[in-house]
């Protein structure tokens, strides 16, 4: 028999922060394009998106060296260094990035005061208190201030020491470091000190959202799915659909037969009684 290659199936993977990154990253760029930002590409195949005033930028860098795939930044002037930087590595699900770019596009539409923090470093008190209210716990085993999600698959590390702004903008260090995933399959997101509080909250929500995502996967892909993730077929295969249809048809037929009372014999002519009416099926 010929060796027929296995066809991938569509699955819903939950929670999404345990899904792989094999998905089209264009949905992370689309919220910015919808807001009127301009897109360009370099010769290597990297994508760049900039706001009309060039103060805000996104870079998608599949051909760059290093683990960082997404860089998102904003500053007070088109030619000045950025005020803050957010990054996602190459294993981050693009749906997570899309949630953050959506929040960023909304903030940009409200003006510079909504996406720039002119007060300096963001302390993040509201964000951290929100995590504790959502039953996150403090982890005393790390050298940082670390918060863990209830399922232990998402961690937020906070560096509480002074950091050089230039070092943060080059990616040499970061104020906020998110780790998400099972051991050995962890992806990262970072944020610098001056990211406004509401965008930090949006980033935290995006990273830790357990909503399922769709992935096209083969059996071998399922075997390498992160521990703790669940995969549910989005649609049955043709064979499964035929079996379900046949079972449903048999069940419906048997149920209809059992619920329909037998037809009574006709009344004798001249008996003076009406024939018993048949009950309608429920």
């Amino acid at each position: 028999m010929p060796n027929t290659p296995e066809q991938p199936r569509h699955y819903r993977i939950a929670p999404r922060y345990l899904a792989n990154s094999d998905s089209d990253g264009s949905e992370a760029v689309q919220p910015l394009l919808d807001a009127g930002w301009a897109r360009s590409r370099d010769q290597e195949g990297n994508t760049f998106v900039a706001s009309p005033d060039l103060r805000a930028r996104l870079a998608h860098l599949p051909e760059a060296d290093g683990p960082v795939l997404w860089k998102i930044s904003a500053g007070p002037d088109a030619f000045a260094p950025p005020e803050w930087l957010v990054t996602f590595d190459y294993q981050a699900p693009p749906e997570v990035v899309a949630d953050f770019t959506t929040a960023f596009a909304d903030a940009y539409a409200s003006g510079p005061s909504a996406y720039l923090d002119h007060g300096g470093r963001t302390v993040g008190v509201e964000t951290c208190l929100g995590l504790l209210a959502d039953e996150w716990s403090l982890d005393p085993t790390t050298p940082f201030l670390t918060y863990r999600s209830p399922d232990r698959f998402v961690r937020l590390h906070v560096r509480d020491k002074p950091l050089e702004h230039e070092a943060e903008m080059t990616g040499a260090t970061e104020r906020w470091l998110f780790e998400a995933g099972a051991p050995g399959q962890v992806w990262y997101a970072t944020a610098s000190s001056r990211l406004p509080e509401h965008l930090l909250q949006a980033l935290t929500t995006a990273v830790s959202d357990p909503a399922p995502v769709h992935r096209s996967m083969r059996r071998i892909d399922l075997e390498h799915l992160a521990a703790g993730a669940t995969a549910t077929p989005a649609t049955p295969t043709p064979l499964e659909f035929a079996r379900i249809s046949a079972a449903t048809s048999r069940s419906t037929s048997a149920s209809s037969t059992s619920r329909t009372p037998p037809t009574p014999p006709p009344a004798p002519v001249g008996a003076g009684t009406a024939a018993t009416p048949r009950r309608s099926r429920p």
Side-chain angles (χ1 to χ4, degrees):
M1 291 181 62
N3 184 16
T4 304
E6 180 188 0
Q7 296 299 315
R9 292 186 61 182
H10 291 285
Y11 290 87
R12 289 190 299 272
I13 310 298
R16 75 178 185 184
Y17 45 78
L18 296 183
N20 58 29
S21 61
D22 293 339
S23 182
D24 185 2
S26 61
E27 75 172 281
V29 176
Q30 196 59 48
L32 304 179
L33 300 180
D34 292 342
W37 295 31
R39 175 169 55 187
S40 61
R41 294 184 175 88
D42 63 14
Q43 295 180 348
E44 286 74 27
N46 300 307
T47 299
F48 304 90
V49 183
S51 62
D53 60 8
L54 303 181
R55 292 182 177 184
R57 295 170 288 275
L58 173 145
H60 180 226
L61 307 168
E63 303 303 324
D65 295 330
V68 174
L69 180 62
W70 301 90
K71 289 185 176 182
I72 305 166
S73 61
D77 185 84
F79 302 101
E83 184 175 288
W84 57 260
L85 174 69
V86 167
T87 73
F88 297 88
D89 78 1
Y90 67 98
Q91 291 183 313
E95 294 87 353
V96 176
V97 186
D99 277 5
F100 180 74
T101 56
T102 298
F104 186 22
D106 292 342
Y108 172 82
S110 299
S113 62
Y115 66 88
L116 296 177
D117 187 0
H118 300 288
R121 173 186 168 186
T122 297
V123 179
V125 172
E126 293 182 13
T127 299
C128 295
L129 289 178
L131 295 179
L132 295 176
D134 289 337
E135 300 184 350
W136 287 48
S137 59
L138 286 168
D139 186 347
T141 64
T142 70
F144 313 109
L145 183 61
T146 299
Y147 299 83
R148 281 184 177 269
S149 63
D151 65 4
R152 314 290 286 178
F153 287 121
V154 183
R155 297 158 295 282
L156 170 59
H157 306 289
V158 186
R159 298 180 188 269
D160 201 29
K161 65 180 181 180
L163 301 175
E164 293 185 1
H165 181 68
E166 292 76 11
E168 289 195 83
M169 294 304 98
T170 60
T173 188
E174 68 285 320
R175 178 69 61 190
W176 310 89
L177 170 63
F178 295 87
E179 293 182 304
Q185 296 173 292
V186 175
W187 57 269
Y188 302 89
T190 71
S192 62
S193 298
R194 298 181 186 176
L195 181 69
E197 177 82 35
H198 69 97
L199 288 179
L200 177 61
Q201 291 179 1
L203 176 60
T204 304
T205 300
V207 170
S208 59
D209 189 345
V213 293
H214 288 263
R215 292 290 185 271
S216 180
M217 307 185 76
R218 296 181 175 87
R219 192 178 315 166
I220 190 171
D221 301 319
L222 293 174
E223 292 174 357
H224 291 87
L225 196 63
T230 60
T232 306
T235 56
T237 64
L239 179 58
E240 291 170 338
F241 183 80
R243 289 173 176 171
I244 293 171
S245 298
T248 302
S249 177
R250 289 194 300 269
S251 175
T252 302
S253 176
S255 176
S256 299
T257 301
S258 64
R259 290 200 301 265
T260 303
T263 303
V269 176
T273 58
T276 303
R278 295 182 61 182
R279 290 184 295 171
S280 60
R281 295 183 185 178

